[in-house]
């Protein structure tokens, strides 16, 4: 019984003296940065997953539309529409410009889409795009 009374006295003293509040505030100074770092890491991981999914869906969409008998602009627009719908169905909000860039990247790097190298119009090269030399760009 004496132990219970001592514990009650100690708890009452902690509350009345404000020591408990000081301990909580002191602990919060150490816990809050840790929680913020965890939240930031979670957001970073979510963004990484979203970008990986965006690249995969764009590649699949471009690959599916390669053999279609459509104009290039129509294929591009349909691929962008398909990617936007797929991303929204998975719960990711992605803006139009990011999707267009991902589809363009997928098209340029697809081994199924021919790219004509400048100066050699008769021979398409599969899956490669001629790089722009920054020294030559005006």
């Amino acid at each position: 019984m004496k132990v219970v009374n001592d514990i009650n006295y100690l708890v009452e003293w902690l509350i009345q003296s404000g020591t408990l509040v000081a301990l909580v505030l002191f602990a919060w100074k150490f816990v809050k940065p840790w929680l913020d770092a965890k939240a930031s890491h979670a957001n970073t991981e979510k963004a990484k997953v979203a970008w990986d999914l965006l690249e995969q869906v764009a590649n699949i969409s471009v690959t599916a539309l390669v053999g279609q008998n459509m104009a290039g602009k129509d294929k591009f627009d349909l691929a962008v529409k398909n990617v936007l719908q797929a991303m929204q169905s998975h719960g990711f909000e992605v803006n139009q410009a990011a999707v267009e860039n991902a589809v363009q990247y997928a098209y340029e790097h697809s081994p199924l889409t021919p790219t004509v190298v400048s100066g050699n119009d008769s021979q398409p090269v599969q899956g490669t795009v001629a790089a722009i030399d920054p020294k030559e760009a005006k």
Side-chain angles (χ1 to χ4, degrees):
M1 196 63 153
K2 178 164 175 42
V3 173
V4 173
N5 285 339
D6 289 344
I7 292 174
N8 284 338
Y9 175 75
L10 179 63
V11 170
E12 188 175 320
W13 178 81
L14 285 172
I15 293 171
Q16 289 180 355
S17 68
T19 306
L20 186 61
V21 173
L23 286 173
V24 168
L25 290 176
F26 183 74
W28 182 249
K29 292 289 184 184
F30 290 104
V31 172
K32 185 166 179 10
W34 180 76
L35 292 175
D36 290 342
K38 289 291 183 181
S40 175
H41 178 71
N43 288 338
T44 302
E45 288 297 317
K46 183 179 177 183
K48 182 179 175 186
V49 167
W51 280 110
D52 289 343
L53 180 63
L54 179 64
E55 288 178 359
Q56 290 174 2
V57 171
N59 286 333
I60 291 168
S61 184
V62 166
T63 302
L65 293 174
V66 165
Q68 298 291 325
N69 189 17
M70 300 169 67
K73 177 69 173 149
D74 295 335
K75 286 182 186 180
F76 182 80
D77 291 341
L78 185 57
V80 168
K81 179 183 163 196
N82 291 341
V83 171
L84 275 172
Q85 288 176 347
M87 294 300 287
Q88 287 174 353
S89 71
H90 284 89
F92 294 105
E93 292 297 322
V94 183
N95 64 11
Q96 181 88 12
V99 173
E100 289 174 356
N101 288 337
V103 169
Q104 183 65 33
Y105 180 84
Y107 175 75
E108 290 172 356
H109 289 85
S110 174
L112 302 175
T113 57
T115 303
V116 176
V117 177
S118 62
N120 191 8
D121 293 337
S122 62
Q123 295 279 329
V125 178
Q126 297 291 328
T128 59
V129 176
I132 298 172
D133 187 3
K135 295 175 187 172
E136 295 176 5
K138 293 180 181 173

